[in-house]
Amino acid sequence: MINQSVTHTGSGPSWCRLHRPARRLARLLARGGETKSVTLAREGHWWFVSFNVRLPAPPSVRATRRQRESGTVGVDLGVAVFAATSDPLAVGDDKVQLFANPRHLDNARRQLCKWQRRMSRRHAKGVPAHQQSQGLKEARDQVARLQGLVAARRSSTQHLLTKRLVTQYAQVALEDLRVRNMTRSARGSVEAPGRNVAAKTGLNRAILDVGFGEIRRQIEYKAPWHGTTVCVVNPAYTSQTCNRCGHTDAKSRRTRSLFVCTRCGHATHADTGAAVNIKRRTQSAAPELA
């Protein structure tokens, strides 16, 4: 993906100024790559050009010695905590297991709602789009700019996390989450209206802002590049099971973050304990890969 500043003349080819060097694309073409398609897209006030290059099948990549020594890492995705890992990840000079949720959409929501209200007020009913006022076009461009900014920040956060996971460990264990079912509306119908609809709507928005499905997709396509394997496990009771004695009890989850086992008294962060359980389920299912 190459950031572009494009001026379109309306007919014929257009020139675009690259904000990043095209050396990577040139190297792919020099290795025998074949350009299959070029897609020009706009996100907010930015233009992007995406090149689809087909390459010969690369040789299989083996995990490095450091990755094999690190073994398997379990990852628990959440809303209050963006991601929790069973083992620490190296982030600069620090070792991190709990990644706070940056809440990109919530941070931009105030400005986004303001410009969306302005866009709604300035829209003239029954007037074609090309005859709408400049004020409407200004509000529409601001909404598109903010939405593109949120998407870019979210994507950057996801890429930073997934890159660290696949480069520092030989196997990444994830929960097999059904995101579509998790974000299903609770509104119900006229005959059977839902309960706690506003709270469920906020939870759905937060889950989609984190991007559970996108994180899994990025890990799965990046893993072969670094010789890493990906395993998914059943997510049932991972946050209610003690990672020391294996006892499962919903009452052990004292608060959102505190887990105290009702049998052995082991206390830990609930998300970190869930990540350890995910890792152990992977190891018990395929010990030869751990």
Side-chain angles (χ1 to χ4, degrees):
M1 191 72 72
I2 301 178
N3 204 348
Q4 305 290 326
S5 176
V6 178
T7 302
H8 187 56
T9 59
S11 62
S14 301
W15 290 96
C16 60
R17 178 169 56 89
L18 298 179
H19 286 262
R20 297 179 186 175
R23 299 191 188 95
R24 182 181 179 188
L25 176 61
R27 287 196 297 266
L28 293 176
L29 297 177
R31 286 163 45 192
E34 178 184 1
T35 304
K36 304 300 294 184
S37 65
V38 180
T39 303
L40 179 65
R42 182 179 181 181
E43 293 184 6
H45 64 295
W46 293 102
W47 289 87
F48 294 86
V49 175
S50 177
F51 296 90
N52 186 356
V53 180
R54 176 178 292 176
L55 293 172
S60 58
V61 179
R62 190 183 177 204
T64 64
R65 179 178 59 83
R66 182 173 298 178
Q67 285 177 278
R68 295 194 299 271
E69 291 176 352
S70 299
T72 303
V73 60
V75 183
D76 179 65
L77 302 176
V79 174
V81 175
F82 176 71
T85 59
S86 59
D87 301 276
L89 287 180
V91 181
D93 296 331
D94 300 325
K95 298 289 186 178
V96 182
Q97 280 188 270
L98 295 174
F99 294 83
N101 188 351
R103 300 185 183 276
H104 299 298
L105 182 59
D106 285 350
N107 293 337
R109 196 176 177 193
R110 182 178 178 182
Q111 286 292 319
L112 188 60
C113 290
K114 180 185 77 172
W115 284 105
Q116 286 175 332
R117 287 193 296 267
R118 289 184 181 180
M119 187 171 64
S120 178
R121 289 196 302 266
R122 294 172 182 178
H123 180 265
K125 294 183 179 180
V127 178
H130 66 278
Q131 295 181 3
Q132 293 286 345
S133 66
Q134 288 297 324
L136 173 66
K137 296 177 181 178
E138 176 195 9
R140 181 193 60 198
D141 291 343
Q142 287 292 338
V143 169
R145 183 186 68 82
L146 289 170
Q147 289 176 336
L149 186 62
V150 170
R153 288 174 175 173
R154 181 187 300 121
S155 178
S156 177
T157 302
Q158 293 167 344
H159 278 292
L160 288 173
L161 173 66
T162 56
K163 178 66 177 296
R164 292 189 178 107
L165 288 171
V166 299
T167 56
Q168 296 183 25
Y169 289 89
Q171 186 180 45
V172 180
L174 302 169
E175 291 179 307
D176 190 13
L177 300 175
R178 298 291 186 262
V179 181
R180 180 174 297 181
N181 296 341
M182 294 169 61
T183 57
R184 186 172 295 167
S185 175
R187 184 173 301 173
S189 60
V190 177
E191 296 78 10
R195 300 173 58 185
N196 299 323
V197 177
K200 184 62 167 66
T201 301
L203 176 62
N204 293 349
R205 182 168 53 244
I207 291 174
L208 295 174
D209 187 35
V210 173
F212 292 171
E214 176 63 16
I215 291 174
R216 176 174 172 177
R217 186 191 72 87
Q218 290 186 12
I219 291 175
E220 288 179 342
Y221 84 74
K222 291 178 181 180
W225 299 350
H226 304 280
T228 307
T229 58
V230 181
C231 182
V232 293
V233 300
N234 187 352
Y237 307 111
T238 55
S239 62
Q240 299 178 11
T241 302
C242 178
N243 60 356
R244 174 175 291 179
C245 68
H247 178 62
T248 301
D249 187 356
K251 295 181 180 179
S252 298
R253 187 82 179 258
R254 302 292 180 84
T255 63
R256 194 217 58 78
S257 60
L258 178 62
F259 181 96
V260 180
C261 181
T262 56
R263 174 187 286 178
C264 68
H266 173 63
T268 184
H269 194 286
D271 296 326
T272 303
V276 174
N277 290 330
I278 294 170
K279 173 182 176 179
R280 290 180 178 172
R281 288 187 183 185
T282 302
Q283 292 174 332
S284 60
E288 69 278 1
L289 296 177

